[in-house]
Amino acid sequence: MQYISTRGTAPALPFDDVLLTGLARDGGLYVPEIWPRFTADEMHGMADLSYPDLAARIIAPFIGETIAPDECAALVADAYADFTHDPVAPLRKLGENEWLLELFHGPTLAFKDYALQLVGRLFDDVLARRGERITIVGATSGDTGSAAIAACRGSKAIDIFMLHPQGRVSEVQRRQMTTVADANVFNIAIEGTFDDCQNIVKALFNDLAFRDEVHLSAVNSINWARIMAQIVYYFWAGLKCGAPGREISFAVPTGNFGNVYAGYAARAMGLPVAQFIVGSNRNDILTRFFESGVMEMRGVEASLSPSMDIQISSNFERLLFDLYGRDGARVACLMEEFRLSGKFAVDGDVLAQARALFSGYSLDDEGTKAAIKALFGETGMVIDPHTAVGIMAGRARRKDVAVPLIAMATAHPAKFPVAVEDALGVHDPCLDRLQDLFALEEKSHALPNDVGAVAAYIRAQAVLTSNGKQGAP
């Protein structure tokens, strides 16, 4: 399996190089040169597999000969061994032909664990084979940071620097990152938004001299391995709900478009998906695109669902690449237009292709609180704000009630106790699950929204690490 860049000029790479490279050197994102596909008979044969066994089967074509099948299966089994629910990703019935896929049973109680627990092990395996060391730099709107840190903490071959927007993640999300004491973990609070953090990360990758100097790599969903691992739970849920014998629809709360793009990848591999419903909060750039065909940045507003407080949905570039017939030059032009003007519009036929499969819906904070309260009344389930957005989006934009609808529960409500308690009007004991974090000491470093300042900090810590010293807090 070879991987190509969405902007068309970076060299094609095998899986292990794509894993360690993250962002392509032309600024694009890597995607498979050809989508592997499973037949209906093959999918029927997967229906009764455990989650780890299914994961090993789904990702095998993407990894190719990089890791032997038995070794890959062992890495996958280890990745999910400590998840707290036996099926790993259980389905719960919400309503008539309506299901909730719980993706919060990993170590940091968010869907990012389902990818990053595996990706961390893949990093360690490939780096050990090569005898190399890398510096991971990532940006987080809340959940990626804690999941990536949990996956990479204590690694002897990785230093991880995670940027988060200061004051714009929940306190629990912040503490899940800043209370990790391992010497290879560095938290950076940026004076800005998530988009500012993400832009800094991309700028560091595009500085090829710095990139090579510190052996830069990525854990954000710009790294293909993240998307690859998330494809698994779409197959898992789809097969449980009758695929490939019937079509399935998915409702996904998303900001950076990585989660729902993994579903698109599952469809490209043969899973029969009728519709993807994209849920947004007040930062509704994706909803506006699917309505108008115009991708236009506006100011980022803080919300009750901070992981979606995003106006630059990086993974949308991967979808755009396919919508434009994998024309990397065309995608590069659109991305440059977006960078310079904060806006681009797609052709009418491209919008029609997108709208045939994707629908968008946005929900403000008051609507989110009302949804949390209503779902609790209907089902007795306590849900987090992001999940509430996804469920309501699915109900609002569902095209065919005869098609099973699976909504993604992307985080445990304990990660957002203030918002959930405010919505319910009462305190639920499940919100106390992470209270131990508040007794731990935090370790973080505040920096301005400046690429040079971040690069200097990373370079300084890399020097300390190379000298065998622990980095500064």
Side-chain angles (χ1 to χ4, degrees):
M1 171 68 73
Q2 291 286 300
Y3 293 84
I4 57 175
S5 169
T6 53
R7 301 194 187 179
T9 60
L13 297 177
F15 175 78
D16 52 345
D17 286 336
V18 165
L19 172 70
L20 299 184
T21 297
L23 193 70
R25 293 179 82 88
D26 61 1
L29 282 69
Y30 277 108
V31 294
E33 190 171 35
I34 299 172
W35 289 110
R37 288 188 63 86
F38 294 112
T39 66
D41 285 345
E42 287 172 326
M43 284 186 276
H44 280 301
M46 300 176 193
D48 294 326
L49 294 178
S50 67
Y51 191 93
D53 287 345
L54 178 66
R57 181 72 180 88
I58 296 297
I59 70 174
F62 295 112
I63 291 177
E65 298 178 358
T66 299
I67 303 173
D70 57 340
E71 294 175 1
C72 181
L75 291 175
V76 172
D78 188 55
Y80 300 113
D82 293 330
F83 278 53
T84 58
H85 201 291
D86 184 47
V88 179
L91 276 166
R92 297 183 67 179
K93 191 171 178 62
L94 274 178
E96 186 63 31
N97 224 14
E98 183 185 40
W99 303 86
L100 189 69
L101 180 64
E102 292 185 351
L103 296 174
F104 51 70
H105 294 287
T108 71
L109 309 187
F111 78 99
K112 308 292 177 72
D113 290 324
Y114 288 73
L116 286 167
Q117 282 297 306
L118 176 57
V119 171
R121 286 161 174 80
L122 292 172
F123 271 128
D124 282 341
D125 183 87
V126 171
L127 290 170
R129 292 171 190 269
R130 294 184 170 202
E132 296 177 4
R133 182 180 185 84
I134 58 171
T135 299
I136 287 177
V137 179
T140 184
S141 54
D143 291 329
T144 289
S146 56
I149 288 169
C152 297
R153 62 183 298 179
S155 173
K156 295 179 179 179
I158 298 172
D159 286 325
I160 180 167
F161 294 80
M162 191 55 58
L163 284 61
H164 70 271
Q166 191 169 36
R168 289 177 176 259
V169 299
S170 79
E171 186 172 9
V172 170
Q173 286 177 311
R174 187 191 76 240
R175 286 179 173 273
Q176 281 189 308
M177 295 184 284
T178 59
T179 58
V180 177
D182 296 73
N184 72 319
V185 172
F186 303 89
N187 286 286
I188 302 174
I190 295 295
E191 298 167 4
T193 67
F194 167 75
D195 289 330
D196 294 325
C197 297
Q198 186 166 246
N199 285 336
I200 289 172
V201 171
K202 288 182 177 179
L204 293 173
F205 272 88
N206 288 327
D207 182 344
L208 300 185
F210 177 82
R211 178 173 178 166
D212 293 340
E213 175 190 348
V214 301
H215 305 288
L216 208 57
S217 191
V219 289
N220 284 72
S221 52
I222 60 174
N223 190 317
W224 166 256
R226 272 276 306 275
I227 302 296
M228 175 193 75
Q230 290 175 255
I231 293 169
V232 176
Y233 51 69
Y234 284 92
F235 273 97
W236 169 263
L239 294 173
K240 298 296 181 189
C241 288
R246 65 188 308 187
E247 288 189 314
I248 309 294
S249 291
F250 292 94
V252 188
T254 191
N256 214 19
F257 206 71
N259 195 0
V260 72
Y261 180 80
Y264 170 82
R267 183 177 184 271
M269 296 172 69
L271 188 69
V273 180
Q275 183 184 12
F276 292 108
I277 303 163
V278 176
S280 305
N281 59 24
R282 65 177 67 180
N283 300 290
D284 61 348
I285 187 169
L286 290 169
T287 297
R288 287 185 280 113
F289 172 82
F290 289 118
E291 291 174 349
S292 68
V294 177
M295 185 73 77
E296 182 178 12
M297 279 190 284
R298 296 177 183 172
V300 177
E301 299 182 21
S303 77
L304 294 180
S305 45
S307 295
M308 298 190 294
D309 291 348
I310 295 171
Q311 286 289 297
I312 303 175
S313 302
S314 288
N315 279 285
F316 192 80
E317 181 173 337
R318 284 183 162 119
L319 176 65
L320 203 63
F321 184 59
D322 274 2
L323 292 175
Y324 273 97
R326 302 203 141 195
D327 183 344
R330 184 73 177 109
V331 171
C333 287
L334 288 171
M335 292 299 98
E336 181 65 7
E337 181 181 347
F338 190 59
R339 185 185 71 83
L340 293 174
S341 69
K343 179 179 178 179
F344 71 82
V346 299
D347 302 333
D349 61 332
V350 169
L351 177 60
Q353 287 182 64
R355 293 179 68 173
L357 186 57
F358 292 90
S359 303
Y361 181 81
S362 63
L363 197 66
D364 62 16
D365 281 358
E366 290 306 310
T368 300
K369 289 192 288 186
I372 292 170
K373 186 173 183 178
L375 264 294
F376 182 72
E378 288 176 25
T379 66
M381 297 181 194
V382 181
I383 58 173
D384 89 289
H386 306 78
T387 301
V389 169
I391 293 171
M392 291 300 105
R395 291 180 173 181
R397 293 290 183 262
R398 188 178 186 182
K399 292 179 180 178
D400 187 350
V401 295
V403 175
L405 176 67
I406 301 169
M408 301 296 195
T410 53
H412 193 283
K415 299 196 75 165
F416 307 93
V418 175
V420 174
E421 187 169 347
D422 184 39
L424 294 178
V426 296
H427 180 78
D428 191 280
C430 79
L431 300 178
D432 296 330
R433 182 163 172 178
L434 295 169
Q435 287 303 299
D436 290 349
L437 288 172
F438 291 84
L440 301 176
E441 182 180 354
E442 293 190 76
K443 183 182 74 169
S444 184
H445 191 82
L447 288 175
N449 178 20
D450 179 77
V451 176
V454 175
Y457 178 74
I458 293 171
R459 185 179 282 114
Q461 303 313 312
V463 170
L464 289 170
T465 300
S466 67
N467 291 334
K469 301 175 184 176
Q470 181 171 337

